[in-house]
Amino acid sequence: MVRLTQCSCTAAEGQHWEMKSRGVVSWRNPFPVTRRVPFRCGASCWRTAEMTILLWKSFHRITHGRLLPQVSLSLHTHTHGFEEEKIKKKLQQFAGGSVDLSKEDDGIGILTLNNPRFMNAFTGVMMLELQERVAELENWTDGKGLIVRGAANTFCSGSDLNAVRALSSPQDGMDMCMFMQNTLTRLMRLPLITVALVQGKALGGGAELTTACDFRLMTPESEIRFVHKQMGLVPGWGGAARLVQILGSSPALKLLSGAVKVDPETALRIGLVEAVLSSSDELESLEETCTWLRPYTKGPPAVIQAVKKVVSAGRELQLEAALMTEKEIFGTVWGGPANLQALAQRTKHK
């Protein structure tokens, strides 16, 4: 179970506490701590523990040995000063474009940013639609993979400037930042294997969107560029934090501080993308991406989703919590249909 123990760090004033996991954690109540212990030292131990709970719950719900659709828990809530409904009303004022989702019979979804007149820049309505599409994908029990792309052979040029100019106050900027961080974090945690198909330009917020996917593929002559510095900004949709996870701090710092134009060859060399596709044609590159993704999504949806969940847990949770999550997810597939079929067929590994 979970107990509260005094933190190992030194507190100059008062006391603060962190949560330590011990023993077997029940799926019924994985973290049975329901109240905060106040502290005065300013350390972040409680916040770390609180985030661990949030992440664990967001990955999965397990009931009677079955893996159920994951519960979406927002990264930012009203306790962080975030008023979601307020910013949603403001975003609704900036119309144009759409975020389209198609679900194929093979369990692969295709999410398309559709605002080609402005290089698929996110309008306010598109931000809201992205949240809706992610919520739909969170509950897609037959899903295994997702391709994120832009219409008209370009990826995304970031935020629509009309919305940026209108939401120019610091509070509006913070609210939009928290809204998009919530949405892209949920996208990153989807129990689907996700690929960003970068055609044309992925600039600013578009570059940030690519980092919320598990993999990135680029077409010839495409580019990824974090242009925020040139706008007097830094990434605000979680792109900087995710870029550090992907590349490490030094390469990420170079890309951000230099506003570097990353071509496909450079992206492949530094490990930002997995492959450079052979065709720049819109339909051919999409087919190439489907072909590239297919080996990783071969198998029953329950198994593919379980694989993604244990990797997400390992990436985001502390070791003890990640191990407990892995154990619980393992229990949902052990003795399951795919496992029993493999045993019956005496599957051999070559």
Side-chain angles (χ1 to χ4, degrees):
M1 302 302 252
V2 176
R3 64 186 179 93
L4 291 175
T5 61
Q6 191 168 2
C7 180
S8 59
C9 63
T10 302
E13 296 180 33
Q15 291 180 329
H16 57 282
W17 305 81
E18 66 179 353
M19 292 191 304
K20 299 288 187 180
S21 300
R22 293 186 61 133
V24 178
V25 174
S26 166
W27 60 263
R28 296 178 186 275
N29 191 8
F31 292 97
V33 176
T34 58
R35 63 185 180 88
R36 296 189 179 190
V37 178
F39 59 85
R40 293 182 290 139
C41 69
S44 60
C45 291
W46 174 261
R47 287 185 178 275
T48 299
E50 186 181 47
M51 186 57 66
T52 298
I53 297 173
L54 184 67
L55 291 172
W56 200 98
K57 289 181 177 179
S58 72
F59 287 137
H60 59 83
R61 290 171 60 198
I62 301 175
T63 304
H64 302 301
R66 295 180 59 197
L67 193 66
L68 299 183
Q70 73 177 29
V71 179
S72 62
L73 293 176
S74 294
L75 184 67
H76 301 289
T77 65
H78 67 279
T79 60
H80 305 100
F82 178 49
E83 299 181 28
E84 182 172 335
E85 292 306 315
K86 181 179 177 180
I87 190 62
K88 287 174 74 171
K89 288 181 180 179
K90 291 187 177 182
L91 292 174
Q92 191 69 49
Q93 300 172 19
F94 306 103
S98 62
V99 178
D100 306 322
L101 175 63
S102 63
K103 299 175 182 176
E104 306 301 321
D105 292 339
D106 59 359
I108 305 299
I110 300 174
L111 187 76
T112 304
L113 309 179
N114 194 346
N115 190 17
R117 182 183 173 189
F118 298 104
M119 293 176 59
N120 298 321
F122 272 100
T123 63
V125 167
M126 289 175 67
M127 293 181 189
L128 297 175
E129 289 190 2
L130 179 64
Q131 184 192 56
E132 293 170 0
R133 302 296 174 263
V134 170
E136 183 178 350
L137 289 164
E138 286 173 335
N139 294 287
W140 187 21
T141 55
D142 294 328
K144 297 188 287 184
L146 177 70
I147 297 170
V148 180
R149 62 188 288 268
N153 216 27
T154 196
F155 190 73
C156 174
S157 60
S159 300
D160 176 58
L161 291 181
N162 291 326
V164 170
R165 294 189 187 100
L167 300 173
S168 59
S169 75
Q171 188 57 55
D172 284 341
M174 288 282 286
D175 287 342
M176 183 179 69
C177 165
M178 289 188 283
F179 181 85
M180 289 301 290
Q181 281 190 5
N182 277 352
T183 301
L184 295 188
T185 300
R186 289 170 62 181
L187 172 64
M188 180 180 68
R189 293 174 181 165
L190 282 175
L192 309 172
I193 298 176
T194 57
V195 182
L197 168 54
V198 181
Q199 304 159 290
K201 298 180 185 295
L203 307 177
E208 293 192 67
L209 174 58
T210 69
T211 67
C213 296
D214 299 316
F215 304 109
R216 286 150 294 281
L217 304 178
M218 295 179 73
T219 61
E221 301 179 1
S222 61
E223 69 175 87
I224 298 174
R225 191 176 188 187
F226 295 84
V227 298
H228 305 77
K229 186 188 78 168
Q230 296 181 338
M231 299 295 294
L233 296 170
V234 297
W237 296 357
R242 293 189 295 269
L243 188 64
V244 170
Q245 288 185 330
I246 295 167
L247 298 181
S249 59
S250 293
L253 183 59
K254 289 179 181 178
L255 296 192
L256 296 176
S257 63
V260 178
K261 177 181 176 180
V262 185
D263 59 42
E265 291 72 24
T266 301
L268 186 63
R269 175 173 52 82
I270 66 176
L272 183 58
V273 302
E274 308 303 315
V276 179
L277 303 178
S278 62
S279 175
S280 294
D281 179 79
E282 186 172 11
L283 295 180
E284 289 181 6
S285 60
L286 179 58
E287 182 57 37
E288 275 192 78
T289 303
C290 291
T291 301
W292 185 92
L293 181 59
R294 199 164 289 125
Y296 305 107
T297 57
K298 182 179 180 180
V303 176
I304 303 303
Q305 291 193 21
V307 169
K308 173 64 181 288
K309 285 174 182 287
V310 296
V311 170
S312 296
R315 177 186 62 223
E316 297 192 52
L317 297 178
Q318 293 183 352
L319 179 59
E320 290 185 16
L323 291 173
M324 288 186 290
T325 301
E326 183 175 313
K327 178 259 298 182
E328 295 290 350
I329 296 174
F330 176 81
T332 68
V333 291
W334 178 267
N339 179 227
L340 294 177
Q341 182 179 7
L343 292 173
Q345 294 176 345
R346 298 188 179 186
T347 299
K348 294 183 180 180
H349 311 291
K350 296 181 181 179

